[in-house]
Amino acid sequence: MRLRCAVLDDFQNAALESADWSPVEDRVEIVVFRDHIADEDELAARLADFDIVVTLRERVPFPGTLLDRLPRLKLLIASGMRNSVIDYAAAERNGVTVCGTASSSAPPVELTWALLLGLARDLVTESTALRTGGPWQSTVGADLHGRRLGLLGLGKIGSRVARVGLAFGMQVSAWSQNLTKERADEAGVELAPSKEELLRGSDFVSIHLKLSDRTRGLLGPAELALLKPTAYLVNTSRAAIVDQDALLAALHEGRIAGAGIDVHDIEPLPADHPVRTAPRLLATPHLGYVSQANYATYYSHAVEDIQAFLAGEPVRRLG
């Protein structure tokens, strides 16, 4: 009897087209689900008859309370090599092998600049007006050249965002709790003396930090109040780094020029979520990692992970 593999949250119906699944199809039945289930009871019922689950990034949590209810599950594959919503101890206790895949930092860099440029030049407002018979040229775009880009985080993604900013002729500074002057110098950017100074002096602020106990709530009401009223904030990292209520208040009250957000406190967003109607906001549905090349990597590596598991030699193990 073939094993059964559930591929979760394939909203675009892209999983089967992004990789060649034929190497495992003789031993594994692949079942794709295009909807998202947030309720744990419903998810446990859906996955009860599956031996393998493939999940995208951190979209679906796998706490111990769920894993304990999936006695048939033997292999859990998550895209990327880091996942904070899987209870690895519970997986081990239940005999579940957890594996990952490679992931490129290029797509989130590109989306960061799509959001930043869209904000600076009011592209949504102007495009909507042009297509609906609205006013011709109703906004005056913000310049990038000569303006200051402040980066919270200068890792793989942040350093690539910095290079693009420098190419635009921007002044680029960066800060994080462990960032050194030597690392900043290597990236060709200034080391901000403090988080507060970076926020005060930047025209555009972009977040590129991992979510941890130290970064959760890093930008709260006091920090957002330091931003210039002409400043823009971009977050393609994790929603919990920014106090969401404080950000919405700053947008509604016009205390910052705008924000570009790709990550949210609830995903997918409920229909009545306040983010959907917030002013001065350019929001996307967590597209940072969603690209043809990344999906090809995720799903082809998922196939490889399944093959290796079936051969008794799991690869890219997590936890």
Side-chain angles (χ1 to χ4, degrees):
M1 188 173 76
R2 288 194 301 172
L3 301 178
R4 301 190 77 219
C5 172
V7 179
L8 302 183
D9 292 342
D10 185 15
F11 299 145
Q12 306 97 335
N13 201 25
L16 298 184
E17 297 178 357
S18 297
D20 178 9
W21 294 79
S22 63
V24 299
E25 285 178 340
D26 60 333
R27 297 185 60 186
V28 180
E29 176 191 359
I30 311 297
V31 180
V32 172
F33 295 102
R34 297 190 61 187
D35 59 334
H36 176 76
I37 295 179
D39 180 77
E40 186 174 304
D41 291 338
E42 190 176 349
L43 189 61
R46 170 170 288 188
L47 299 180
D49 295 329
F50 287 92
D51 310 274
I52 302 167
V53 171
V54 178
T55 183
L56 273 176
R57 305 299 295 163
E58 296 169 328
R59 188 176 288 168
V60 178
F62 281 84
T65 51
L66 175 59
L67 291 166
D68 289 343
R69 301 166 69 181
L70 301 175
R72 184 165 163 174
L73 182 63
K74 291 295 176 276
L75 175 63
L76 176 59
I77 300 171
S79 56
M81 289 301 293
R82 185 176 65 252
N83 194 300
S84 65
V85 299
I86 295 173
D87 185 331
Y88 295 105
E92 183 176 4
R93 183 176 70 245
N94 285 281
V96 178
T97 299
V98 184
C99 296
T101 74
S103 184
S104 171
S105 60
V109 172
E110 294 166 2
L111 185 72
T112 295
W113 280 102
L115 290 172
L116 196 152
L117 288 165
L119 283 169
R121 301 305 292 269
D122 287 298
L123 292 186
V124 173
T125 299
E126 295 292 357
S127 177
T128 300
L130 185 146
R131 293 168 64 86
T132 59
W136 186 266
Q137 294 185 355
S138 63
T139 65
V140 179
D143 294 283
L144 302 188
H145 184 85
R147 308 292 290 281
R148 181 166 294 278
L149 171 63
L151 301 175
L152 291 170
L154 196 65
K156 261 195 313 188
I157 295 175
S159 59
R160 294 178 74 162
V161 171
R163 290 201 292 272
V164 178
L166 293 170
F168 274 119
M170 302 183 79
Q171 303 172 53
V172 183
S173 58
W175 176 90
S176 70
Q177 290 161 323
N178 296 322
L179 183 60
T180 64
K181 186 177 185 307
E182 290 73 23
R183 176 73 188 94
D185 288 343
E186 286 176 12
V189 308
E190 301 173 28
L191 174 64
S194 66
K195 173 183 64 178
E196 290 74 18
E197 287 302 309
L198 180 137
L199 295 172
R200 286 191 191 97
S202 297
D203 300 294
F204 299 86
V205 174
S206 190
I207 300 171
H208 304 288
L209 296 166
K210 297 176 184 177
L211 180 61
S212 67
D213 291 339
R214 292 196 304 175
T215 62
R216 188 179 298 274
L218 187 72
L219 298 188
E223 289 77 18
L224 293 174
L226 298 175
L227 292 170
K228 302 174 184 179
T230 55
Y232 297 88
L233 176 68
V234 176
N235 187 7
T236 56
S237 183
R238 289 293 183 270
I241 295 173
V242 181
D243 183 312
Q244 298 298 289
D245 291 337
L247 175 59
L248 287 171
L251 292 169
H252 277 284
E253 296 165 15
R255 288 188 275 112
I256 60 175
I261 304 298
D262 185 49
V263 286
H264 309 279
D265 56 355
I266 303 173
E267 296 184 5
L269 281 177
D272 60 349
H273 196 285
V275 160
R276 292 186 182 271
T277 54
R280 303 178 179 85
L281 179 66
L282 176 56
T284 47
H286 206 157
L287 298 177
Y289 61 89
V290 179
S291 76
Q292 293 173 354
N294 240 6
Y295 269 33
T297 297
Y298 291 164
Y299 291 116
S300 63
H301 281 192
V303 174
E304 292 176 6
D305 289 347
I306 294 171
Q307 287 180 287
F309 175 79
L310 295 176
E313 299 178 351
V315 295
R316 291 186 284 264
R317 298 189 68 162
L318 303 181

